[in-house]
Amino acid sequence: MKSISNSSLDTTVIDWPVHMQRAIDLAQRVRTATPNPRVGCVLVKGFEVIGEGWHVAAGEAHAEVVAIGNAGKTNTCTEAFVSLEPCAHTGRTAPCSEALIAAGVGKVIIASLDPNPQVAGKGVEQLEQAGVEVYQLVDFEDQSREMNPGYFKRREEGIPYVRLKLAMSLDGRTALANGQSKWITNKAARSDVQKLRASASAVITGINTVLTDDPSLNVRSAELPENQDGLESGAKELAHQPIRVVVDSQLRTPGTAKIICNEGSVKIYSTADFTVGKSLADNVEIVKATVSGEGVDLQFVLESLASDFSCNEVLVEAGPTLSGAFIEAGLVDELIVYIAPRLLGSDAKPLLEIHGLQSLAESHQFQVSHLDRIGDDIRVILKQAP
Ligand code: AOF
Ligand code: ZN
């Protein structure tokens, strides 16, 4: 495989970055293909695009196979631009390397290698053994990784990419002292949260939130319109419900909780002694967690979500205690903070339970990545400071 940068492309391949950017844009037509990565593919003959494809969901055809299907007949003059190294193994579907070879593609241009140990260079190897030239356009590697942060993190570090959502007043409060909290942020901000859920493999909350708010934490079609943000189809993504996860050390989740009664699978992480295999309902699995400090070991929860349930991106939607614990443990990759332009006063409930900092050097530092107005609210996206 040859690695090349945009600046070194000569006039015969000057259109390569355009096609690779298109492949990356196509991949992002779905919010998630969990547990698979989002992948796009563009087939080009001469200077003409003859087929395009993207991976819609696990179990469905991969991007390359969709593009080949759309192109009809291909031949050795064809170039395939793929945002990820073509797979070389038989998983839920047959290897894309073989599909590209059988279609007679002459050159395959990728943005990044696939960290899946079943692929990891083998896709490139198989293509090259069959006489296909393989190139990596290195300037696109960051984009390929950034659109699949959880897929790469799970494969490389063994834990998912963690987003923590917070909604607060201008003075950093989440509810009045009497508990009233519906709603601090406006409808547009709450609908935006639906998008976060729709892209998550799992939504994590704590037992206190289950007992006090009884949330559903599901994706609701009415609040997530079709064709939003240039997405391909509402239908497929609406079929995706993230796994709902409750951090519940003493196993207090009631069988009547909405989080359990709604369709979709639920995992409860508990340190309590319970009969293995005990369940509250058919869709609920209780997982014995290790202890850290006074509660469930959150690192354990993340490792389990990655290795046992193949979670790529997870969303924490919890109260001040669990949210604070995730931050204190340094496990949050991204904060999404919705700020409503209202003041709740100093006896209202705080955003996070984080205590005991003695110096500013100990404070938890993030970097602002995006700042947007959502209806009348403000959304700030922050990333963990390097
Ligand atoms: C590709 N093109 O569009 C995607 C790839 O179980 P399967 O058959 O869906 O395979 C899943 C694995 O295939 C996934 O873990 C990753 O290594 C690769 N994803 N590869 O060539 C695609 N989605
Ligand atoms: Zn594949």
Side-chain angles (χ1 to χ4, degrees), residues 36-37 62 64 84-91 93-97 110 112-127 151 155:
N36 285 354
H62 285 185
E64 300 90 318
L84 190 74
E85 175 187 7
C87 67
H89 68 296
T90 303
T93 63
C96 290
S97 51
I110 64 171
S112 73
L113 290 167
D114 184 348
N116 179 355
Q118 288 181 292
V119 185
K122 296 189 195 85
V124 171
E125 209 178 288
Q126 282 189 12
L127 289 164
Y151 179 75
R155 295 284 189 199

Side-chain angles (χ1 to χ4, degrees), residues 120-345:
K122 296 189 195 85
V124 171
E125 209 178 288
Q126 282 189 12
L127 289 164
E128 287 182 335
Q129 273 170 6
V132 178
E133 289 175 44
V134 184
Y135 300 84
Q136 182 185 13
L137 269 183
V138 291
D139 293 303
F140 290 90
E141 181 165 3
D142 285 352
Q143 278 196 69
S144 173
R145 294 177 70 92
E146 277 161 19
M147 71 176 166
N148 289 303
Y151 179 75
F152 279 91
K153 195 167 174 217
R154 168 166 70 90
R155 295 284 189 199
E156 292 173 351
E157 297 173 42
I159 54 173
Y161 184 84
V162 180
R163 294 192 174 91
L164 172 63
K165 170 240 148 183
L166 298 165
M168 66 180 200
S169 63
L170 208 49
D171 50 348
R173 306 281 163 168
T174 59
L176 292 178
N178 67 13
Q180 202 183 325
S181 65
K182 289 197 167 78
W183 297 102
I184 309 287
T185 53
N186 67 36
K187 212 171 156 200
R190 299 201 306 276
S191 158
D192 199 61
V193 174
Q194 287 286 316
K195 297 190 207 169
L196 296 176
R197 287 184 192 168
S199 55
S201 306
V203 177
I204 304 174
T205 196
I207 182 61
N208 288 336
T209 301
V210 171
L211 295 177
T212 52
D213 295 350
D214 195 19
S216 301
L217 300 180
N218 57 356
V219 179
R220 291 186 285 274
S221 51
E223 295 171 39
L224 192 64
E226 272 194 44
N227 299 325
Q228 237 185 3
D229 302 338
L231 290 180
E232 172 236 359
S233 87
K236 276 270 167 12
E237 77 169 350
L238 294 176
H240 163 71
Q241 284 294 346
I243 298 171
R244 293 180 301 272
V245 176
V246 189
V247 177
D248 177 9
S249 60
Q250 299 310 308
L251 211 47
R252 290 184 294 152
T253 304
T256 51
K258 279 194 201 145
I259 202 165
I260 287 179
C261 297
N262 283 318
E263 174 197 343
S265 90
V266 179
K267 312 290 172 195
I268 301 181
Y269 284 85
S270 176
T271 56
D273 281 328
F274 57 89
T275 322
V276 175
K278 178 187 166 186
S279 186
L280 287 163
D282 287 349
N283 60 332
V284 181
E285 183 178 348
I286 303 168
V287 184
K288 178 86 182 183
T290 55
V291 182
S292 171
E294 286 166 23
V296 169
D297 180 350
L298 299 178
Q299 172 80 24
F300 173 91
V301 172
L302 293 181
E303 284 171 10
S304 162
L305 288 175
S307 62
D308 303 331
F309 307 116
S310 303
C311 290
N312 291 336
E313 297 168 32
V314 299
L315 176 68
V316 180
E317 280 195 72
T321 310
L322 186 61
S323 299
F326 265 100
I327 289 182
E328 284 190 309
L331 293 172
V332 176
D333 295 294
E334 190 175 313
L335 284 178
I336 297 109
V337 188
Y338 297 91
I339 307 169
R342 62 166 98 219
L343 297 166
L344 296 185

Side-chain angles (χ1 to χ4, degrees), residues 6-17 47:
N6 290 349
S7 57
S8 65
L9 295 173
D10 67 32
T11 50
T12 59
V13 292
I14 205 75
D15 55 335
W16 280 18
F47 285 95

Side-chain angles (χ1 to χ4, degrees), residues 357-378:
L357 299 186
Q358 299 299 322
S359 72
L360 284 178
E362 294 172 35
S363 63
H364 302 276
Q365 183 81 37
F366 292 86
Q367 281 179 337
V368 175
S369 141
H370 289 84
L371 188 59
D372 296 288
R373 182 177 178 148
I374 310 278
D376 286 332
D377 294 336
I378 296 162

